[in-house]
Amino acid sequence: MPVTSVFRTFVDLGTLLHLDDLVAAGDSIVSEHHRHFGEPRHPMIPVAGLRKLVEHTSKIHGIRAARLAIDLIEPGVDSPPETQIRLMLGRAGLPVFVPNCRIDTEIGLPVWADLGCHEFKTCIEYDGGHHLTPEQQQYDARRDQRTREADWAQVKLNKLDIRKGEQWITSLARGALRSQGWPG
């Protein structure tokens, strides 16, 4: 049974997926982070390596879509909804939100936001199903408190917000950014 490489699978997905979904697949391939909690995450292919492979490949179905996706791919994303939200914010012309954003707190223990804009001290958290456990809720409550103490505005989203659509999500982000001095 033939098995394809991660790169070839990514390019092949370019023939099947909408651009946002292809970016989410790419984000998963290049995802990496090293935080003070949890296991480090290592990329299947580093983003620079994926970019090089895409740029030097031709005559394969899906490579055009892969070339469009590569400029939108970011390491550090932990889930497809985070990718989806990040892309929505970018299309709306909002300031850049980086994935896995470190927020330094007064007590010296950093907080990690799913997406964050340092310029306007605004972050977005996507709470998936695993946020419903008592342990995760306790962790999230502490994270949220430290985020507030660091004077960051926080927008918490879940799958119901995603269902409400891009305009809903971007309006929530705009409101938080404006509360932090964004003139847009």
Side-chain angles (χ1 to χ4, degrees):
M1 175 175 358
V3 176
T4 64
S5 69
V6 171
F7 167 70
R8 181 57 194 251
T9 300
F10 173 68
V11 173
D12 288 346
L13 287 172
T15 65
L16 303 171
L17 299 179
H18 179 273
L19 180 61
D20 284 10
D21 295 327
L22 185 59
V23 172
D27 280 354
S28 181
I29 290 168
V30 305
S31 183
E32 67 177 313
H33 48 69
H34 307 279
R35 302 176 291 206
H36 68 279
F37 64 93
E39 294 294 318
R41 189 164 183 172
H42 302 285
M44 290 181 252
I45 302 174
V47 69
L50 185 61
R51 180 179 303 282
K52 186 175 181 179
L53 288 167
V54 167
E55 289 171 353
H56 292 94
T57 300
S58 61
K59 299 181 183 176
I60 297 177
H61 290 296
I63 196 65
R64 286 188 190 134
R67 287 191 179 125
L68 293 173
I70 196 69
D71 290 331
L72 300 171
I73 291 172
E74 290 284 338
V77 176
D78 284 326
S79 70
E82 290 175 26
T83 298
Q84 189 177 5
I85 293 163
R86 182 175 55 82
L87 294 173
M88 289 176 187
L89 301 175
R91 280 192 292 269
L94 298 179
V96 173
F97 280 78
V98 296
N100 222 346
C101 179
R102 180 185 171 133
I103 300 171
D104 291 309
T105 64
E106 289 183 14
I107 64 170
L109 186 61
V111 173
W112 299 90
D114 292 336
L115 297 165
C117 173
H118 276 282
E119 183 179 5
F120 295 103
K121 294 177 84 171
T122 302
C123 66
I124 296 179
E125 295 293 341
Y126 177 80
D127 288 352
H130 76 279
H131 288 267
L132 299 176
T133 66
E135 296 81 13
Q136 188 64 45
Q137 288 177 346
Q138 182 182 41
Y139 172 82
D140 290 349
R142 287 189 187 131
R143 176 204 62 206
D144 298 347
Q145 180 181 359
R146 290 186 190 128
T147 299
R148 284 188 303 276
E149 289 169 355
D151 295 323
W152 279 61
Q154 181 187 64
V155 176
K156 292 183 79 164
L157 303 171
N158 60 41
K159 67 181 179 180
L160 298 176
D161 294 300
I162 298 281
R163 287 184 195 152
K164 288 182 180 180
E166 194 158 328
Q167 187 174 9
W168 172 254
I169 298 228
T170 57
S171 70
L172 293 173
R174 274 188 186 93
L177 285 162
R178 285 188 186 116
S179 76
Q180 296 294 92
W182 179 60

